[in-house]
Amino acid sequence: MSLRALSRRVKRIEEGRKPRPSPIVLWYGSFDAWVENQILPGIESGALDQHDMIVIVAALRGWEGLYGS
């Protein structure tokens, strides 16, 4: 294997280890922007239950942290 081919292979491996953004980050820019623009207005309008959404957002925030690891 040539040095150039080995270098390309190492680069691909290193790129594959980098954390990828979650779907929420891809769609809304950041997790906090999603909460601010989608969740809070829903809670304020009464469409979303405040107590349920606190639990759901906390669970998704935990998932978000695992996704980016």
Side-chain angles (χ1 to χ4, degrees):
M1 181 179 286
S2 72
L3 183 58
R4 189 172 291 177
L6 182 59
S7 177
R8 284 192 302 262
R9 185 174 179 185
V10 169
K11 183 178 179 181
R12 276 196 316 269
I13 291 169
E14 288 175 348
E15 290 293 322
R17 291 183 178 172
K18 288 183 180 179
R20 290 176 287 183
S22 72
I24 292 173
V25 170
L26 291 174
W27 296 330
Y28 298 99
S30 73
F31 190 85
D32 292 332
W34 172 69
V35 171
E36 186 176 324
N37 296 320
Q38 301 295 318
I39 303 304
L40 293 179
I43 291 171
E44 290 170 0
S45 73
L48 300 173
D49 182 73
Q50 179 179 3
H51 301 291
D52 288 345
M53 290 314 296
I54 289 171
V55 174
I56 291 169
V57 168
L60 289 174
R61 192 176 291 279
W63 168 76
E64 177 80 11
L66 292 174
Y67 198 93
S69 297

